Amino acid sequence: MLPREQVEALMRSVAAEVMMPRFRRLAPGDIDEKSKGEVVTIVDRECERRLHDGLAKLGLGARIIGEEAAELDPDLLAEAGLGLVWLIDPLDGTANFAAGRAPFGMMVALVEDGEPLASWMLDPLAGRMCYAERGQGATVDGRPARARSTRRKQPRAALGTHFLSAIRRDRVHGAARRAFDVQPVPRCAAESYPRLVLGQDDIALFQRILPWDHAAGALFLTETGGKATHWDGRPYRVGGTGQGMLAATTPDLWQTAADILLGAEAGLVEMEEAI
């Protein structure tokens, strides 16, 4: 039996005791640049330590891979798609948090041989918990959830294109503007995926496929009736070789987005720079 309530309680306690007391209270020395354009805070590291220790005590025998641990030891990701693994994103949307703004979140996923089994996504500001279990559906704050579109004439699309080259980014947005209401991305996957379920966005495009960013959200969206796959339509898999992610509230909207964004005009599927 999956430890649904124990993981939720752990995440809520870590958020309440470590994350929220430092929101808008970070000292300059609490923020570092871990790579060009990407920051990490003392909160990322302390939350990950607390989550790691708490998950280890559950006794499932799963390996534990956190975003910050993998930053220090990239070899941890080499076998992320093998066996039973906990994936931790202790503070998703770090740049937002460091700037004192929303959204930001916390994500945990339990993965077996690359396939997400269960996922938890916490919005610490709102207290909202999104949970999903493979084949068993999904809930928001304990209530059954089904993805719903915005029902706008022009579907709302949040396009994570900031890692694309300028030429490719212009081509994608040019194609998108003819069919979609293009929205700013929240820079937080823990917010992007729930927006597709809660009727706020219809489509989301991501270039990077770091597992802690997508394992939890892809399962949650899929279990609510939406669709999240790699750009070529292959199911998302931790440790897989697929490029990018395309997510939508319904399979029909996914196909529409794929036709427009991933066709020859956008030229994304063939990109060599996707990671």
Side-chain angles (χ1 to χ4, degrees):
M1 186 173 180
L2 293 173
R4 173 178 178 173
E5 294 181 358
Q6 295 97 312
V7 175
E8 178 173 343
L10 172 65
M11 293 172 69
R12 289 190 182 279
S13 68
V14 173
E17 296 167 16
V18 179
M19 185 182 294
M20 293 312 298
R22 287 192 173 96
F23 183 48
R24 295 177 177 161
R25 296 182 178 89
L26 290 173
D30 293 337
I31 306 171
D32 295 321
E33 186 175 60
K34 63 180 179 181
S35 61
K36 187 176 181 180
E38 292 200 48
V39 298
V40 62
T41 72
I42 189 173
V43 174
D44 296 78
R45 292 166 175 152
E46 290 192 11
C47 284
E48 184 163 305
R49 283 194 291 270
R50 285 278 301 271
L51 290 169
H52 182 285
D53 292 347
L55 294 172
K57 290 177 181 177
L58 295 178
L60 293 187
R63 301 194 316 281
I64 303 173
I65 301 176
E67 177 180 5
E68 305 315 322
E71 178 71 22
L72 296 175
D73 182 7
D75 289 342
L76 289 173
L77 287 178
E79 296 185 348
L82 301 176
L84 197 61
V85 177
W86 287 110
L87 288 173
I88 302 171
D89 192 337
L91 174 52
D92 187 51
T94 298
N96 294 339
F97 184 90
R101 63 175 182 261
F104 53 88
M106 179 184 293
M107 297 191 289
V108 172
L110 182 63
V111 177
E112 184 174 40
D113 293 329
E115 294 190 29
L117 293 179
S119 71
W120 296 256
M121 293 187 292
L122 175 65
D123 177 342
L125 281 171
R128 182 190 67 211
M129 176 64 77
C130 298
Y131 173 76
E133 187 174 333
R134 190 173 69 188
Q136 301 298 317
T139 61
V140 176
D141 292 332
R143 295 184 294 275
R146 295 295 297 173
R148 64 179 189 271
S149 72
T150 63
R151 298 184 179 180
R152 292 171 177 260
K153 184 176 181 180
Q154 279 196 315
R156 291 170 63 106
L159 309 179
T161 58
H162 39 283
F163 292 105
L164 302 183
S165 67
I167 292 175
R168 286 183 168 120
R169 185 164 54 246
D170 289 345
R171 288 165 67 184
V172 173
H173 281 268
R177 281 193 294 268
R178 290 192 286 273
F180 306 132
D181 177 10
V182 179
Q183 299 294 308
V185 294
R187 302 297 293 268
C188 173
E191 177 70 10
S192 293
Y193 281 103
R195 285 187 181 187
L196 295 169
V197 173
L198 299 174
Q200 297 169 303
D201 285 338
D202 297 295
I203 297 157
L205 178 78
F206 308 89
Q207 181 190 357
R208 301 202 303 176
I209 58 168
L210 297 168
W212 41 78
D213 284 339
H214 298 290
L219 178 64
F220 176 69
L221 179 60
T222 300
E223 289 294 325
T224 63
K227 183 173 180 177
T229 73
H230 291 298
W231 287 341
D232 62 2
R234 282 185 288 170
Y236 174 72
R237 186 182 185 281
V238 173
T241 59
Q243 293 183 349
M245 289 291 292
L246 179 64
T249 301
T250 68
D252 286 346
L253 274 172
W254 185 97
Q255 190 59 58
T256 297
D259 291 343
I260 293 169
L261 300 175
L262 306 181
E265 184 174 11
L268 284 174
V269 175
E270 293 79 16
M271 284 178 51
E272 295 178 353
E273 59 204 43
I275 59 173

